[in-house]
Amino acid sequence: MGVVEEHASVLSQEQFEELARLAVRVEEALRLEFINGKIGEKALPDGDHGRIIQWLTRLCIQANADWWLHGDQGLRVETYRNGNARPDVCLAPSDNFVGQGEWADADGVLMAVEVTSRDHDTNRRDRQDKPKAYAETGIPVYLLIDRDTCEVKVHSQPDGGRYEMLLTVPFGKTVTLPDPVGIDLDTEPLKDWVR
């Protein structure tokens, strides 16, 4: 078995952020991320994906009117904030990102949320790279709504390198999102938004 060697990216975080700004000028739908030293393209959401975000937004606002699910807010992630992720949404106080730019510090983020997309990179990005990056950043909860496996995966208790707790439930069950979120999710409606 060969040894896999990690190579640091030749891009700095500042260079990546400039590249991401330029990419949007070329193609508005091109949304780039920079995780684990690699540039990745984030797939555009489909209608079911959007409906899942609507459902979750309503539940979060009902739980606390001072919260908002911020869509398409770029976050600086990883141990030294040298990565850039674009969660589908992140739960934070409504004013959390006021005065910050396209790429914001993750302080104040209560939960990062990803809904799997129908692209070739979902396994590595949503199930491997992002849990690690969000845990390193100290985001308390990472919620993965996995449309491929019809499961909700709740990652919690970040220890600086990974989440110590992972709870997986099939669509149709109720799951409690741990503190600081503390919301019960009845995942039955998710069955209607899987194709």
Side-chain angles (χ1 to χ4, degrees):
M1 183 178 202
V3 174
V4 176
E5 189 175 324
E6 289 287 327
H7 295 284
S9 173
V10 296
L11 285 178
S12 69
Q13 186 173 35
E14 293 77 23
Q15 290 169 323
F16 167 77
E17 290 176 8
E18 180 62 25
L19 178 64
R21 278 190 289 279
L22 293 171
V24 170
R25 289 184 191 158
V26 173
E27 174 55 57
E28 191 173 319
L30 186 57
R31 301 176 328 158
L32 299 178
E33 296 179 301
F34 187 53
I35 301 173
N36 199 20
K38 298 177 190 133
I39 295 175
E41 180 182 353
K42 186 159 175 102
L44 287 176
D46 58 35
D48 291 332
H49 185 285
R51 184 61 181 98
I52 291 169
I53 298 301
Q54 289 174 17
W55 165 78
L56 188 58
T57 299
R58 285 188 179 103
L59 294 172
C60 290
I61 292 171
Q62 287 171 358
N64 187 327
D66 292 329
W67 288 347
W68 188 250
L69 276 174
H70 302 268
D72 210 27
Q73 173 64 58
L75 298 177
R76 291 189 177 107
V77 296
E78 298 181 313
T79 303
Y80 300 105
R81 304 294 201 259
N82 61 355
N84 297 74
R86 247 182 235 289
D88 288 326
V89 289
C90 57
L91 180 66
S94 296
D95 290 339
N96 199 69
F97 299 111
V98 171
Q100 297 194 51
E102 178 182 3
W103 300 101
D105 191 74
D107 290 345
V109 173
L110 307 172
M111 176 173 70
V113 180
E114 298 289 349
V115 178
T116 57
S117 299
R118 308 281 188 252
D119 67 346
H120 71 285
D121 210 17
T122 252
N123 186 55
R124 181 186 54 80
R125 186 182 60 246
D126 292 342
R127 297 183 188 107
Q128 297 171 22
D129 292 346
K130 286 195 174 179
K132 183 178 183 310
Y134 295 150
E136 285 180 5
T137 306
I139 295 173
V141 178
Y142 170 49
L143 175 64
L144 176 61
I145 299 173
D146 196 325
R147 296 188 294 168
D148 298 328
T149 63
C150 295
E151 296 173 322
V152 171
K153 297 174 181 162
V154 181
H155 301 76
S156 62
Q157 298 181 13
D159 74 355
R162 65 184 181 91
Y163 286 102
E164 292 183 355
M165 296 295 297
L166 172 60
L167 177 62
T168 303
V169 299
F171 289 179
K173 300 267 185 173
T174 297
V175 62
T176 300
L177 300 177
D179 288 336
V181 181
I183 298 173
D184 290 332
L185 291 182
D186 174 4
T187 66
E188 184 67 30
L190 294 173
K191 292 178 178 180
D192 294 335
W193 306 312
V194 178
R195 304 277 181 267

